[in-house]
Protein backbone atom coordinates (compact mmCIF):
# COMPACT_ATOMS: atom_id res chain seq x y z
CA UNK A 1 0.00 0.00 0.00
CA UNK A 2 1.26 3.49 -0.82
CA UNK A 3 0.19 4.83 2.54
CA UNK A 4 -2.17 7.71 3.20
CA UNK A 5 -2.21 9.99 0.17
CA UNK A 6 -3.12 13.66 0.40
CA UNK A 7 -3.52 16.19 -2.34
CA UNK A 8 -2.52 18.81 -3.09
CA UNK A 9 0.77 19.03 -1.18
CA UNK A 10 0.69 22.80 -1.32
CA UNK A 11 -2.17 25.19 -1.92
CA UNK A 12 -2.03 28.96 -2.14
CA UNK A 13 -5.34 30.69 -2.49
CA UNK A 14 -6.88 34.09 -2.08
CA UNK A 15 -9.10 34.99 0.83
CA UNK A 16 -12.71 34.18 0.08
CA UNK A 17 -11.99 31.33 -2.29
CA UNK A 18 -13.16 27.77 -1.73
CA UNK A 19 -10.44 25.24 -0.89
CA UNK A 20 -10.80 21.46 -1.09
CA UNK A 21 -8.26 19.13 0.45
CA UNK A 22 -8.31 15.45 -0.47
CA UNK A 23 -7.30 12.27 1.29
CA UNK A 24 -7.07 8.61 0.34
CA UNK A 25 -6.68 6.44 3.44
CA UNK A 26 -4.91 3.10 3.61
CA UNK A 27 -7.14 0.36 2.25
CA UNK A 28 -8.92 -1.56 5.00
CA UNK A 29 -8.52 1.11 7.66
CA UNK A 30 -11.69 1.88 9.59
CA UNK A 31 -10.88 5.31 10.99
CA UNK A 32 -10.00 8.49 9.12
CA UNK A 33 -8.87 11.64 10.87
CA UNK A 34 -8.36 15.23 9.74
CA UNK A 35 -5.84 17.22 11.81
CA UNK A 36 -4.59 20.79 11.56
CA UNK A 37 -1.12 21.77 12.66
CA UNK A 38 -0.47 25.30 13.83
CA UNK A 39 2.27 26.85 15.94
CA UNK A 40 -0.21 27.92 18.58
CA UNK A 41 -2.24 24.73 19.00
CA UNK A 42 0.02 21.94 17.76
CA UNK A 43 -1.78 19.00 16.15
CA UNK A 44 -5.47 19.69 16.52
CA UNK A 45 -8.16 17.12 15.63
CA UNK A 46 -10.83 18.61 13.38
CA UNK A 47 -13.05 15.60 12.65
CA UNK A 48 -12.88 11.84 12.45
CA UNK A 49 -14.84 9.14 10.65
CA UNK A 50 -15.51 5.50 11.46
CA UNK A 51 -16.51 3.41 8.44
CA UNK A 52 -17.28 6.58 6.49
CA UNK A 53 -19.56 7.98 9.18
CA UNK A 54 -18.56 11.24 10.94
CA UNK A 55 -18.23 10.45 14.65
CA UNK A 56 -16.88 13.63 16.21
CA UNK A 57 -16.70 16.98 14.45
CA UNK A 58 -16.37 19.07 17.59
CA UNK A 59 -12.95 20.26 16.49
CA UNK A 60 -14.20 21.85 13.27
CA UNK A 61 -13.57 25.56 13.81
CA UNK A 62 -16.74 26.95 12.31
CA UNK A 63 -19.35 26.50 9.62
CA UNK A 64 -16.89 27.45 6.92
CA UNK A 65 -15.31 24.01 7.40
CA UNK A 66 -16.97 20.83 6.19
CA UNK A 67 -15.75 17.27 5.66
CA UNK A 68 -17.16 14.32 3.80
CA UNK A 69 -16.29 10.70 3.30
CA UNK A 70 -18.45 9.40 0.44
CA UNK A 71 -16.72 6.01 0.41
CA UNK A 72 -14.03 4.03 2.22
CA UNK A 73 -11.26 5.26 -0.05
CA UNK A 74 -11.82 9.00 -0.21
CA UNK A 75 -12.41 11.99 2.03
CA UNK A 76 -12.47 15.74 1.50
CA UNK A 77 -12.06 18.72 3.78
CA UNK A 78 -13.56 21.88 2.37
CA UNK A 79 -13.14 25.47 3.53
CA UNK A 80 -15.57 28.00 2.08
CA UNK A 81 -14.85 30.88 2.19
CA UNK A 82 -11.21 30.63 3.18
CA UNK A 83 -9.55 33.20 5.45
CA UNK A 84 -5.87 33.99 6.16
CA UNK A 85 -6.16 32.47 9.65
CA UNK A 86 -6.90 29.10 8.02
CA UNK A 87 -3.30 28.96 6.84
CA UNK A 88 -1.79 25.81 8.34
CA UNK A 89 -0.69 22.29 7.47
CA UNK A 90 -3.62 19.89 7.28
CA UNK A 91 -2.93 16.22 7.91
CA UNK A 92 -5.09 13.24 7.14
CA UNK A 93 -4.49 9.98 9.04
CA UNK A 94 -6.07 6.54 9.07
CA UNK A 95 -5.92 3.52 11.34
CA UNK A 96 -7.57 0.13 11.73
CA UNK A 97 -10.24 -0.60 14.32
CA UNK A 98 -8.05 -2.83 16.53
CA UNK A 99 -6.94 -1.29 19.82
CA UNK A 100 -3.17 -1.61 19.65
CA UNK A 101 -2.75 -0.04 16.25
CA UNK A 102 -1.10 3.20 15.34
CA UNK A 103 -2.34 5.92 13.04
CA UNK A 104 -0.66 6.43 9.69
CA UNK A 105 -0.34 10.00 8.50
CA UNK A 106 -0.30 11.47 5.04
CA UNK A 107 2.33 13.97 3.98
CA UNK A 108 0.04 16.88 4.73
CA UNK A 109 -1.28 19.79 2.70
CA UNK A 110 0.30 23.16 3.38
CA UNK A 111 -2.43 25.75 2.90
CA UNK A 112 -1.65 29.42 2.55
CA UNK A 113 -4.52 31.89 2.29
CA UNK A 114 -3.43 35.35 1.21
CA UNK B 1 -11.91 18.30 27.88
CA UNK B 2 -9.30 15.55 27.86
CA UNK B 3 -5.90 17.24 28.04
CA UNK B 4 -2.68 15.51 27.16
CA UNK B 5 0.36 17.38 28.43
CA UNK B 6 3.98 16.93 27.44
CA UNK B 7 7.13 18.22 29.09
CA UNK B 8 9.52 19.70 28.53
CA UNK B 9 8.41 21.74 25.53
CA UNK B 10 11.94 21.59 24.08
CA UNK B 11 15.20 19.97 24.93
CA UNK B 12 18.78 20.43 23.75
CA UNK B 13 21.27 17.64 24.46
CA UNK B 14 24.74 16.69 23.31
CA UNK B 15 25.41 13.66 21.16
CA UNK B 16 25.80 10.64 23.40
CA UNK B 17 23.61 11.98 26.20
CA UNK B 18 20.65 9.95 27.36
CA UNK B 19 17.41 11.84 27.76
CA UNK B 20 13.77 11.38 28.64
CA UNK B 21 10.49 13.26 28.42
CA UNK B 22 7.07 12.96 29.93
CA UNK B 23 3.50 12.62 28.72
CA UNK B 24 0.67 13.17 31.22
CA UNK B 25 -2.93 12.26 30.59
CA UNK B 26 -6.17 11.84 32.56
CA UNK B 27 -6.10 8.34 34.09
CA UNK B 28 -9.87 7.91 34.10
CA UNK B 29 -11.32 6.22 31.02
CA UNK B 30 -7.82 5.58 29.69
CA UNK B 31 -7.67 3.23 26.71
CA UNK B 32 -4.30 3.50 24.94
CA UNK B 33 -1.20 5.69 24.72
CA UNK B 34 0.69 6.34 21.49
CA UNK B 35 4.15 7.82 20.89
CA UNK B 36 5.06 9.33 17.52
CA UNK B 37 8.26 10.76 16.09
CA UNK B 38 7.88 13.75 13.80
CA UNK B 39 10.80 14.95 11.72
CA UNK B 40 10.77 18.37 10.09
CA UNK B 41 9.04 18.42 6.69
CA UNK B 42 7.77 14.86 7.17
CA UNK B 43 4.65 13.34 8.72
CA UNK B 44 4.43 11.79 12.20
CA UNK B 45 5.46 8.14 12.42
CA UNK B 46 4.45 5.79 15.20
CA UNK B 47 6.99 4.53 17.70
CA UNK B 48 4.83 2.68 20.24
CA UNK B 49 1.25 1.94 21.19
CA UNK B 50 0.73 0.85 24.79
CA UNK B 51 -2.38 -0.14 26.71
CA UNK B 52 -1.38 -2.01 29.88
CA UNK B 53 -0.29 -0.47 33.17
CA UNK B 54 3.40 -1.16 33.69
CA UNK B 55 3.95 -1.86 30.02
CA UNK B 56 7.41 -1.15 28.65
CA UNK B 57 8.33 -1.14 24.97
CA UNK B 58 11.66 -0.78 23.25
CA UNK B 59 12.83 -0.05 19.72
CA UNK B 60 16.59 0.21 19.39
CA UNK B 61 17.82 3.01 21.65
CA UNK B 62 14.30 4.28 22.34
CA UNK B 63 12.03 2.89 25.03
CA UNK B 64 8.80 3.90 26.72
CA UNK B 65 6.99 3.07 29.94
CA UNK B 66 3.36 3.48 30.91
CA UNK B 67 1.62 4.14 34.24
CA UNK B 68 -2.12 4.19 33.68
CA UNK B 69 -3.03 4.56 37.36
CA UNK B 70 -1.26 7.87 37.77
CA UNK B 71 -1.61 8.93 34.14
CA UNK B 72 1.87 9.29 32.71
CA UNK B 73 4.28 7.78 30.21
CA UNK B 74 8.01 8.31 29.83
CA UNK B 75 9.97 8.14 26.58
CA UNK B 76 13.70 7.43 26.95
CA UNK B 77 16.44 7.82 24.36
CA UNK B 78 19.77 6.24 25.21
CA UNK B 79 22.92 7.67 23.68
CA UNK B 80 21.21 10.40 21.63
CA UNK B 81 22.36 10.91 18.05
CA UNK B 82 21.84 13.96 15.82
CA UNK B 83 19.40 11.94 13.72
CA UNK B 84 17.17 11.62 16.80
CA UNK B 85 16.41 15.34 16.50
CA UNK B 86 12.66 15.58 15.98
CA UNK B 87 9.42 16.43 17.72
CA UNK B 88 8.15 13.59 19.89
CA UNK B 89 4.38 13.47 20.24
CA UNK B 90 2.25 11.43 22.55
CA UNK B 91 -1.45 10.81 22.04
CA UNK B 92 -4.11 9.22 24.22
CA UNK B 93 -7.20 7.25 23.40
CA UNK B 94 -10.01 7.38 25.93
CA UNK B 95 -12.89 4.97 26.35
CA UNK B 96 -16.51 5.97 26.09
CA UNK B 97 -18.73 7.81 23.70
CA UNK B 98 -17.13 9.53 20.76
CA UNK B 99 -13.72 9.50 22.47
CA UNK B 100 -13.09 5.86 21.77
CA UNK B 101 -11.62 6.07 18.31
CA UNK B 102 -9.83 9.39 18.33
CA UNK B 103 -6.30 10.30 19.29
CA UNK B 104 -5.81 13.39 21.44
CA UNK B 105 -2.28 14.71 20.96
CA UNK B 106 -0.05 16.61 23.32
CA UNK B 107 1.89 19.65 22.12
CA UNK B 108 5.06 17.62 21.67
CA UNK B 109 8.64 17.81 22.91
CA UNK B 110 11.13 19.23 20.43
CA UNK B 111 14.45 17.41 20.80
CA UNK B 112 17.66 18.81 19.33
CA UNK B 113 20.79 16.69 19.57
CA UNK B 114 23.99 18.65 19.00
CA UNK B 115 27.04 16.89 17.49
Amino acid sequence: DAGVIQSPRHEVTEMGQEVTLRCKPISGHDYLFWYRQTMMRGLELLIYFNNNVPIDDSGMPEDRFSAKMPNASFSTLKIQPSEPRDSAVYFCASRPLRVNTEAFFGQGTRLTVV
Amino acid sequence: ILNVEQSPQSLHVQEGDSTNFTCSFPSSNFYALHWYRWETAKSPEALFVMTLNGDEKKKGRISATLNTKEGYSYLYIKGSQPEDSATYLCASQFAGGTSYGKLTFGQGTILTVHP
Side-chain angles (χ1 to χ4, degrees), chain A residues 19-71:
Chain A
V19 175
T20 299
L21 311 182
R22 297 173 175 80
C23 175
K24 182 180 187 304
I26 292 174
S27 176
H29 281 192
D30 304 277
Y31 289 109
L32 183 140
F33 307 88
W34 282 102
Y35 286 93
R36 178 171 67 175
Q37 181 216 353
T38 61
M39 289 295 291
M40 292 297 293
R41 297 186 179 179
L43 206 55
E44 179 185 21
L45 178 66
L46 301 177
I47 185 172
Y48 82 98
F49 296 83
N50 182 4
N51 289 324
N52 315 338
V53 176
I55 302 300
D56 186 347
D57 65 354
S58 58
M60 296 285 262
E62 46 196 276
D63 292 345
R64 297 184 297 106
F65 285 68
S66 63
K68 293 182 180 179
M69 192 165 184
N71 57 62

Side-chain angles (χ1 to χ4, degrees), chain B residues 24-36:
Chain B
S24 302
F25 51 88
S27 55
S28 59
N29 297 324
F30 170 83
Y31 202 76
L33 190 285
H34 297 226
W35 280 101
Y36 291 81

Side-chain angles (χ1 to χ4, degrees), chain A residues 35 41 48 56 100 103 106, chain B residues 31 36 43 51 98 102-103 107:
Chain A
Y35 286 93
R41 297 186 179 179
Y48 82 98
D56 186 347
N100 286 7
Chain B
Y31 202 76
Y36 291 81
S43 51
T51 57
T98 60
K102 71 182 182 184
L103 298 177
Q107 293 277 55

